[in-house]
Amino acid sequence: MQNKFRSDRYDPTGSTERDDVSRRHFIKGVIAAGAVAGTATMVTGCGGSGDSSGGSAAGSVERLITLNVNGMARNVDVAPNETLSHTLRNKLGLTGTKIGCDRGSCGACTVMIDGTTVNSCSVLTHTVRNDEVTTVEGVGGGNGQLHAVQEAMIEELAPQCGFCTPGQVVSGVALLNRNPNPSREDVRQALAGNLCRCGAYNNYVNAIVKAAGRA
């Protein structure tokens, strides 16, 4: 009787009890499906951005690295945005590398990476962890013996204030490593990225030409 009353009650939309039950089931199904989908997305997202093994999160940078500098493996704690010049001077104590403009324009911070000269103020340390870095401290002999370029620069009185000299030395050594008999024009081209605020360019060129016969 009661069922008959409920089934026969007035409904302005014209729906029956059976329609209400079906609608409730439908809404419950939609809500349940949404909850399952949200949970799956959350689980998938956690798995994609994290590392269940306890390793570094994706995109993170390891801070403690090993650098090959002047033939030695050096362990150093490096910030993700740290430049090589900063690491060499302030972390490894290799202060022969000077920081002048700090914008890759003056060449005072010149070092060799795998034999090629670069401005170390414009290189992130993390990018050279698998390369061989050579600074002005590493161009001579292991017992403190000067390189032929350094000896020639002393003889030619090339350094004036001396601030740019380490970069000039590294560029000169790199040139002689790839071209043992350079012309004066070759030397000028090799030193083009090394600015000398004292204007002693001819002295530096003379020194490297002299060193060419000794290196």
Side-chain angles (χ1 to χ4, degrees):
M1 182 66 180
Q2 185 177 4
N3 289 340
K4 184 176 184 307
F5 173 76
R6 292 181 57 186
S7 299
D8 294 343
R9 65 185 176 181
Y10 172 73
D11 184 350
T13 63
S15 62
T16 65
E17 183 181 9
R18 178 176 297 178
D19 294 334
D20 292 340
V21 173
S22 298
R23 188 179 300 112
R24 283 197 297 272
H25 287 171
F26 173 76
I27 294 173
K28 288 180 180 178
V30 171
I31 293 173
V36 171
T39 303
T41 302
M42 184 171 63
V43 171
T44 303
C46 291
S49 61
D51 185 350
S52 59
S53 65
S56 300
S60 65
V61 177
E62 182 184 5
R63 290 189 58 116
L64 185 59
I65 64 174
T66 301
L67 292 178
N68 185 345
V69 182
N70 298 331
M72 298 178 61
R74 304 288 301 272
N75 296 324
V76 60
D77 183 7
V78 178
N81 60 346
E82 188 171 312
T83 62
L84 181 58
S85 59
H86 177 83
T87 304
L88 294 173
R89 287 183 56 83
N90 302 322
K91 302 286 182 66
L92 301 181
L94 299 172
T95 55
T97 299
K98 305 303 182 185
I99 299 178
C101 66
D102 205 17
R103 289 173 171 77
S105 298
C106 74
C109 63
T110 300
V111 301
M112 283 186 277
I113 297 178
D114 293 336
T116 301
T117 55
V118 300
N119 293 315
S120 59
C121 72
S122 300
V123 175
L124 293 178
T125 304
H126 279 278
T127 64
V128 299
R129 62 171 68 187
N130 297 318
D131 301 318
E132 182 178 345
V133 180
T134 304
T135 70
V136 69
E137 290 91 345
V139 298
N143 56 356
Q145 180 181 3
L146 297 179
H147 190 278
V149 168
Q150 293 170 306
E151 293 178 342
M153 285 190 176
I154 294 173
E155 294 169 5
E156 292 294 326
L157 300 178
Q160 301 300 304
C161 78
F163 190 82
C164 72
T165 302
Q168 307 276 9
V169 169
V170 173
S171 292
V173 172
L175 170 64
L176 297 187
N177 286 344
R178 65 176 184 274
N179 181 7
N181 296 298
S183 64
R184 292 185 67 85
E185 182 59 25
D186 292 333
V187 176
R188 291 192 183 95
Q189 290 292 329
L191 301 183
N194 296 88
L195 303 184
C196 174
R197 57 189 176 188
C198 303
Y201 293 108
N202 281 334
N203 301 58
Y204 283 120
V205 172
N206 293 339
I208 294 174
V209 170
K210 176 181 285 189
R214 304 174 180 174

